[in-house]
Amino acid sequence: MGIGGIGMSAIARLYLHKGIKVSGCDVKENSIMRELKNSGAHIFIGHNPAHLDTDIDTVVYSSAIRQDCPEFSCAIARAKSKGLKLLRRAEALAELMEGQAVITVAGSHGKTTTSSLVSFLLCEAGLSPTAAIGGVVHNFNTNSLAGAGKFFIAEADESDGSFLCYRPSYSIITNIDREHLDYYKDFSSEIEVFKKFINQTEKNGCVFACSDDKILFDLANTWEGRKIFFGLKESEGFYPRNIKINGLSSSFDCYCGKQFIGSFNLNLGGAHNISNALAVIALGVELNIKPDVILKALAGYQGAGRRLEVKFKDDNYIFIDDYAHHPTEIRATLAAARSVSGGRLVVIFQPHRYSRTKILMDEFAKSFSLADYLVLTDIYPASELPMEGVSGEILFEKIRLERNDKPIVFLQKEKIAGHILEILKPKDLVITLGAGDIVKVCDELAKNLQNTCTA
């Protein structure tokens, strides 16, 4: 249930690879569901208890499925009366991991980039990993790998605490931020769950933690097993020197303490992505992967979908889409985008979830200082119902007060593309931000420019 989601679809693909019959449903058809159908899955549109009438022994459900969904309620009833197995997404993934050496990537930000880069590295090293990633990796053109090797790489989603289902051999944690507080209620509870997650690493395994994050650094130091730190600041762990960022690519020298590891080129811009890459280098060294293989992997990595993804580029304009939906992510992404073009930075932001917008309203208001021109639209609700006192218009007013007369407009989503085409100037970089469906606006703009160029 929720098979069209990026995490659920990865699990469905891994089941199919094992020869297991798979059916699934989601509210709207998308390209992922069409690909799964072509791979042999039976796909339904919408949620309906009748979907359970076929020969099913297990139901795997996304955290996005509302508890009052009739199909879900029916599944719960059948689980009690007929022994139907009911699994959360993470529980299903944990079952798939059994018998393998598990590498998890957790953290509030950077999970998809880091886990996909780990997956590509292990492929380049000939280790044939299995992987479940929260984004489509351009090197593979998919979000999952069904390898023959001993390693299983998983993006560990902390949003509902279900990542505690995993028992990793190697655990990378990128950072801990005030996120998913609709579930955790307060930051201290979130920190405590991350501590539990770190302590579930196998005793003979290794924890990789970012030393730039004071909270994470302190948590990792409570772990009694092997731990390796990485970060942008010089330390006894892995860190960079001679950083050079050239638009959407970068280079740096990597050191571990006083030891020179190598000079790396990365097809990603932004200091935050260098930090992600350091975690991958540290893991590679721990796994005894040859340095030239690590260098080749970082240079050859092509990124993941919706992570600073270039949708259109010519001599006049650049259109980029990014999944950033938290204030910290927005600031990091805009800093990376700012280095790409000397023209205006035109930002289109779709807030994601009423609860996140409510909890982080003030932080969002201060996150767009690098935007020269800002377009805001309605909140993408995901599975949430509207909340009183929370709306795109209210957030717009908060941000407007912080803008110091810099242009900002509020538009319905369907009107954004037309507005952008009216105000567009040569050398503009236009970036869409959000975890909802704002990517469709970027695709529409890119298609319009492509058609104009070929006319």
Side-chain angles (χ1 to χ4, degrees):
M1 296 179 64
I3 197 168
I6 199 71
M8 291 290 287
S9 61
I11 292 172
R13 286 193 176 102
L14 292 176
Y15 279 142
L16 288 167
H17 179 77
K18 287 178 172 288
I20 296 169
K21 293 181 181 179
V22 174
S23 65
C25 62
D26 219 318
V27 289
K28 292 181 182 178
E29 186 182 48
N30 60 22
S31 59
I32 288 174
M33 294 161 70
R34 289 190 289 270
E35 290 169 7
L36 286 169
K37 186 176 181 180
N38 291 336
S39 298
H42 189 187
I43 301 295
F44 302 100
I45 307 301
H47 295 294
N48 191 318
H51 298 165
L52 301 173
D53 291 340
T54 54
D55 184 20
I56 291 171
D57 55 31
T58 303
V59 172
V60 182
Y61 62 96
S62 162
S63 57
I65 301 298
R66 291 174 53 82
Q67 300 295 300
D68 58 0
C69 170
E71 185 179 4
F72 185 71
S73 300
C74 181
I76 292 175
R78 293 192 185 189
K80 292 177 179 178
S81 65
K82 298 183 179 181
L84 185 69
K85 194 173 182 180
L86 202 58
L87 296 176
R88 293 180 294 172
R89 178 180 63 183
E91 290 170 329
L93 198 55
E95 284 192 356
L96 287 165
M97 293 173 177
E98 289 180 2
Q100 295 188 269
V102 176
I103 302 170
T104 56
V105 179
S108 301
H109 319 296
K111 292 187 294 292
T112 298
T113 296
T114 307
S115 58
S116 58
L117 186 47
V118 168
S119 302
F120 185 60
L121 170 61
L122 267 62
C123 285
E124 289 293 286
L127 296 173
S128 188
T130 297
I133 304 164
V136 174
V137 186
H138 294 317
N139 295 85
F140 312 135
N141 199 31
T142 183
N143 60 337
S144 67
L145 297 172
K150 71 173 184 178
F151 290 103
F152 192 118
I153 302 154
E155 183 171 328
D157 176 21
E158 81 286 359
S159 63
D160 60 357
S162 61
F163 68 159
L164 294 179
C165 293
Y166 310 140
R167 300 291 186 274
S169 301
Y170 303 91
S171 181
I172 297 173
I173 304 100
T174 56
N175 42 60
I176 303 175
D177 205 347
R178 295 178 67 247
E179 174 68 309
H180 305 298
L181 296 184
D182 55 317
Y183 172 79
Y184 291 107
K185 306 307 178 188
D186 57 64
F187 192 33
S188 60
S189 297
E190 182 185 355
I191 293 169
E192 187 60 31
V193 172
F194 267 98
K195 182 178 180 179
K196 290 180 182 177
F197 178 73
I198 289 171
N199 287 327
Q200 289 188 180
T201 306
E202 292 183 355
K203 295 303 179 186
N204 60 346
C206 186
V207 169
F208 302 81
C210 182
S211 54
D212 296 332
D213 186 317
K214 180 65 165 56
I215 292 171
L216 175 55
F217 179 76
D218 290 344
L219 282 189
N221 274 316
T222 67
W223 161 248
E224 295 179 355
R226 180 165 169 74
K227 47 186 167 280
I228 296 173
F229 291 101
F230 63 91
L232 297 175
K233 298 174 184 176
E234 189 165 326
S235 69
E236 292 303 309
F238 288 76
Y239 64 91
R241 288 179 179 170
N242 303 320
I243 292 175
K244 296 178 182 177
I245 295 178
N246 181 24
L248 293 177
S249 63
S250 56
S251 63
F252 59 94
D253 296 333
C254 178
Y255 287 79
C256 182
K258 295 181 179 180
Q259 181 185 359
F260 175 67
I261 303 299
S263 297
F264 294 87
N265 295 307
L266 183 65
N267 277 323
L268 296 172
H272 63 297
N273 280 321
I274 291 176
S275 181
N276 295 333
L278 290 167
V280 179
I281 295 169
L283 174 68
V285 171
E286 181 69 11
L287 296 180
N288 294 314
I289 296 174
K290 293 179 179 179
D292 61 328
V293 175
I294 303 174
L295 273 121
K296 182 183 176 185
L298 263 66
Y301 174 67
Q302 297 299 316
R306 304 217 60 210
R307 273 69 179 178
L308 285 172
E309 183 176 9
V310 177
K311 294 285 189 173
F312 177 87
K313 183 177 181 181
D314 67 7
D315 291 339
N316 287 319
Y317 310 109
I318 304 174
F319 290 88
I320 293 175
D321 176 62
D322 194 89
Y323 196 69
H325 56 281
H326 183 281
T328 300
E329 296 169 352
I330 291 167
R331 289 191 293 270
T333 298
L334 295 187
R338 172 56 76 193
S339 67
V340 175
S341 171
R344 293 187 306 171
L345 181 55
V346 179
V347 178
I348 302 163
F349 177 57
Q350 180 188 49
H352 185 259
R353 293 186 178 272
Y354 293 99
S355 57
R356 180 182 289 111
T357 306
K358 179 181 179 180
I359 293 167
L360 301 176
M361 183 83 73
D362 291 337
E363 289 92 330
F364 275 121
K366 299 173 182 178
S367 299
F368 296 93
S369 60
L370 292 178
D372 296 306
Y373 194 103
L374 178 61
V375 177
L376 197 69
T377 192
D378 289 315
I379 296 170
Y380 186 87
S383 58
E384 293 183 341
L385 296 174
M387 292 182 178
E388 187 176 351
V390 186
S391 68
E393 290 95 332
I394 292 172
L395 178 59
F396 168 79
E397 291 299 330
K398 286 266 189 182
I399 297 173
R400 188 177 61 82
L401 294 174
E402 299 285 341
R403 291 285 290 167
N404 295 323
D405 297 327
K406 280 187 177 180
I408 176 172
V409 296
F410 182 88
L411 293 171
Q412 300 300 311
K413 187 178 64 178
E414 59 271 14
K415 295 181 180 179
I416 293 175
H419 177 76
I420 294 296
L421 292 172
E422 287 179 359
I423 62 101
L424 202 59
K425 296 179 180 179
K427 304 303 178 184
D428 279 354
L429 187 157
V430 180
I431 184 166
T432 49
L433 302 176
D437 59 0
I438 197 65
V439 61
K440 294 178 181 178
V441 173
C442 198
D443 287 337
E444 182 181 351
L445 287 165
K447 183 177 180 180
N448 186 288
L449 266 291
Q450 287 165 353
N451 291 339
T452 300
C453 292
T454 56

